[in-house]
Amino acid sequence: MSGRAEECFAGVAAAPGIGIGPALAVRGDYEFVRRRPITAAQVPEELDRLESALLKTRGELLQAKEELVRSWSQASDSLFEAYLLAVDDPTILEAVRRRLESEKVCVEAAYQDVIRSFVAQMERIDDAYLRERALDVRDVGKRVLRNLRGGEEEGFELDKPRVVVADALLLSDLVSLDRRLLLGMVTEEGSQTCHAAILAQSLNIPAVVGVRGILDRIDEEAEVLVDGFAGVVILRPSEQRKFQARADQARFFAQTRAAREKRGPAATSDGQRMRISANVELPEDLPLIRENDADGVGLYRTEFLFLRSENGPSEEEQLAVYREAAEWAKPHRLVIRTLDVGGDKLLPWLAVRPLERNPTLGFRGIRLSLERQEIFRTQLRAILRASSQGNVSLMFPMVTDVGEFRRARALLQEVRQELVAEGHDLRDIPCGVMIETPAAALMADLLAEEADFFSIGTNDLEQYTLAVDRLNDRVSSLYPTPHTAVLRLIQGVVGQAHKLGRSVSVCGEMASNLALLPFFIALGVEELSMGSVLIPRVKTAVRSVCAADARDGVSAALLRKEASEVLEELNRLAERFYPELLAR
């Protein structure tokens, strides 16, 4: 396309696989604009639209200036003068006209290209005043675009198979995309355990996160190679590079196919059984459960139902979805996690006011469900009714106190009585708790007296224990996974659960980390739940392990003091059992 040499960017491998295709760049500091083609005859009409939008923006700025000057100070006056100069700048208008004539794209795209180019030039100048003015131009550009669209905002969408390259992606961005057109994902922010990465693993979409600076180097339509095995992204890859990447992909698929051929339960060489079940994000994941021989669904995240709904899903809508999942999981169990929004999963129709400064530590999980009981009760009714369809369990997220669990379970009983009174035929439904905060882990003995089972959510448990924001790659990369503190918490939780005969599942990203498999086998964890595509390889690994040897090796590893030393020992142990699975 451009004849420029390839450029290589290192990031964090978030989902295995190779994706190659044209890029769709999504920048959070600019609104997303669809590049609609136009004809030469439409250029005057597009320019008229822009001039109308500029006039409207000018009027808005003058009105805002008048109001602020009346109530504030003369400083506001000079501020708005800079904005007005940006609106009236004839060089911008002329640059847009030239771009309309040469590229034949809609005026929204042409105007944003020009603004972005102006801002980039100003930011490169070694002058603090001009760099500040770049922010003014960018802000004015957003206002003009909004007026061009009549006040409407656009979400981004895929017009053909593409690799999405973004500064960050929210779960709400991804659930609305056509998965068939999504070749790969690259983000500048985020870590391996951000929800966008988890969704990519679940849907088998190659992904690399934490790729700093790539958006500054990317051209529109540039070809991108996403290497989700190595955590590398290549701009304008050479033919040789693409050939090698496709060979790696073929080798991975061949290994996975071979693992799939040996179906059935997984047990260690000395007979210790372990269920390997699936995490499910979207209904589209369900066929993968059987394709990959999953032992049921260990974690059914219900957030997508709420993210895809404009006003919240009804009881009947939820019931249909849960029943379908229970059917796919048969003869195994389906574990449904009640709504867990907040943090990096925000619902537009369920705005939290005032906005939280740190939503990850705020109003989310069971806290939200217990306060917004109309939403919670509707979900509980749907889950209980779906239980007549199969082997259904439920669990509550973000529990930090026995009292929260009791209140949630009491509501469950109230809802059950309502449904029985209405004539519904219900089955008993085991009720578990997610162990994903240090508080829950430290109270595992007390929670085990109340709950029917535990599911350890290692992503949040790691984040809260280590005080590491899992969406911030600048700090999340400072700590190796696993950290000794987290392993000790997990060890304690499993021990307390087993004292009272409660089973334990692990459903975070640690569950599919092959270096940690001997650790979980040594503890006697009953179930690991992960993205479906990873299940055949993990089952093969389980069959390669001797549980007695794993217990000896893990005991020795945990005597090490530094997290990196523990990880080295666990890697060596895994190498002893299944070296072929650890090679790329």
Side-chain angles (χ1 to χ4, degrees), residues 511-540:
S512 59
N513 184 339
L514 288 180
L516 292 179
L517 180 61
F519 171 73
F520 293 127
I521 289 174
L523 294 187
V525 166
E526 286 84 357
E527 179 180 19
L528 300 178
S529 189
M530 62 197 69
S532 294
V533 70
L534 301 168
I535 289 172
R537 292 165 63 83
V538 175
K539 280 195 168 185
T540 299

Side-chain angles (χ1 to χ4, degrees), residues 15-48:
I18 300 293
I20 304 174
L24 174 68
V26 180
R27 296 172 171 87
D29 50 357
Y30 289 96
E31 294 182 42
F32 178 74
V33 169
R34 292 192 186 92
R35 302 182 72 80
R36 286 183 282 271
I38 63 169
T39 64
Q42 290 175 301
V43 169
E45 181 186 336
E46 292 291 284
L47 277 171
D48 287 345

Side-chain angles (χ1 to χ4, degrees), residues 258-362:
R260 279 179 184 155
E261 286 175 5
K262 188 170 183 180
R263 301 178 74 85
T268 62
S269 60
D270 49 350
Q272 181 174 315
R273 281 284 312 274
M274 176 176 263
R275 292 192 306 275
I276 309 298
S277 57
N279 293 342
V280 173
E281 307 280 341
L282 301 170
E284 295 93 301
D285 297 354
L286 291 171
L288 297 175
I289 298 172
R290 292 181 186 167
E291 186 179 323
N292 290 290
D293 194 29
D295 300 324
V297 176
L299 171 61
Y300 191 82
R301 296 182 169 104
T302 56
E303 289 76 60
F304 79 91
L305 262 168
F306 296 81
L307 287 164
R308 285 179 169 176
S309 171
E310 291 186 2
N311 300 302
S314 68
E315 180 179 327
E316 295 304 319
E317 288 170 332
Q318 293 187 60
L319 175 62
V321 170
Y322 302 152
R323 275 181 172 166
E324 183 188 14
E327 278 293 330
W328 277 102
K330 284 180 179 176
H332 305 290
R333 73 170 181 165
L334 164 71
V335 182
I336 300 175
R337 183 179 72 184
T338 58
L339 181 63
D340 184 16
V341 291
D344 61 339
K345 298 171 288 184
L346 302 175
L347 300 179
W349 55 270
L350 189 64
V352 175
R353 294 287 185 272
L355 290 175
E356 297 177 300
R357 291 189 175 186
N358 190 345
T360 304
L361 298 179

Side-chain angles (χ1 to χ4, degrees), residues 182-231:
L182 185 55
L183 300 174
M185 283 171 33
V186 179
T187 63
E188 291 203 338
E189 299 176 5
S191 69
Q192 198 175 27
T193 57
C194 68
H195 284 94
I198 292 169
L199 187 63
Q201 292 160 19
S202 175
L203 296 178
N204 198 19
I205 298 167
V208 179
V209 299
V211 187
R212 290 278 171 189
I214 191 168
L215 280 171
D216 289 339
R217 303 292 301 165
I218 203 165
D219 305 318
E220 293 295 334
E221 299 287 332
E223 188 175 40
V224 179
L225 186 157
V226 184
D227 185 341
F229 299 114

Side-chain angles (χ1 to χ4, degrees), residues 33-39 42 46 49 100 103-109 148-149 154 157:
V33 169
R34 292 192 186 92
R35 302 182 72 80
R36 286 183 282 271
I38 63 169
T39 64
Q42 290 175 301
E46 292 291 284
R49 289 179 56 220
L100 285 171
E103 298 192 10
K104 307 290 191 302
V105 292
C106 62
V107 72
E108 288 90 344
L148 271 170
R149 294 165 166 168
E154 287 184 277
E157 62 183 30

Side-chain angles (χ1 to χ4, degrees), residues 9 31 44 243 252 310 316 383 392 406 415 439 454 480 551:
F9 295 83
E31 294 182 42
F243 177 81
F252 176 79
E310 291 186 2
E316 295 304 319
I383 294 172
V392 176
R406 285 177 172 170
V415 171
F454 284 170
R551 285 191 283 275

